Amino acid sequence: MRDEFWKTKRLEEMSGEEWERLCDGCGRCCLHKLRDEESDEVLFTNVACRLLDTSSCRCSDYAHRRRRVPDCEQLAPASVRAIDWLPPSCAYRRLAEGKTLLWWHPLVSGRAETVHEAGISVRGRCVDERAAGPLDHHIVTWPGEIPRRRAPIKETS
């Protein structure tokens, strides 16, 4: 039986280990964002932070990320509820909004690869910030959307 702690605990009640396990490894929060000065709208880009390993979609220096990238946001229950740029697929955002985790989340599927198979991760869809040039040339909408792709059909024996 799996420990489905995210169904019974509020974000504030989770241990550090449980909190970290909520991250699905999609990498969407590690993409640069812009804010429209007039509308205050968040504009997503496909430009990845220099620390994002775009193959695994994990931070290459997670323990020291805030020292190396000072504006890297450290998520906590209070900040998750205040941040308006977390993607709608983000487990932290979904749980803060009273929603459940989706089928491809590794805690639900039991496999880390489902986040990539479902088209949620940034794998193969982003540009390294060192090669990108101006961020406003890389504005995209997909990080702010949940793909319509459905769960794979389960094989019956």
Side-chain angles (χ1 to χ4, degrees), residues 46-107:
N46 66 344
V47 179
C49 168
R50 67 183 174 274
L51 296 181
L52 184 67
D53 176 329
T54 58
S55 178
S56 70
C57 297
R58 295 287 185 170
C59 184
S60 63
D61 193 8
Y62 188 74
H64 304 108
R65 71 193 184 282
R66 301 216 44 230
R67 186 170 359 129
R68 295 185 60 195
V69 181
D71 62 346
C72 179
E73 184 74 40
Q74 184 167 344
L75 298 180
S79 64
V80 164
R81 289 183 175 88
I83 295 172
D84 66 348
W85 50 258
L86 285 173
S89 57
C90 175
Y92 299 105
R93 176 177 171 176
R94 292 186 62 79
L95 294 179
E97 293 174 348
K99 297 175 182 172
T100 188
L101 300 182
L102 296 170
W103 69 268
W104 45 261
H105 193 288
L107 289 172

Side-chain angles (χ1 to χ4, degrees), residues 7 9 15 29 37 40 48 54-55 68 79 86-87 109 119 124 137 147:
K7 292 182 176 181
K9 293 184 177 182
S15 69
C29 65
E37 292 179 18
D40 203 37
T54 58
S55 178
R68 295 185 60 195
S79 64
L86 285 173
S109 71
H137 293 180

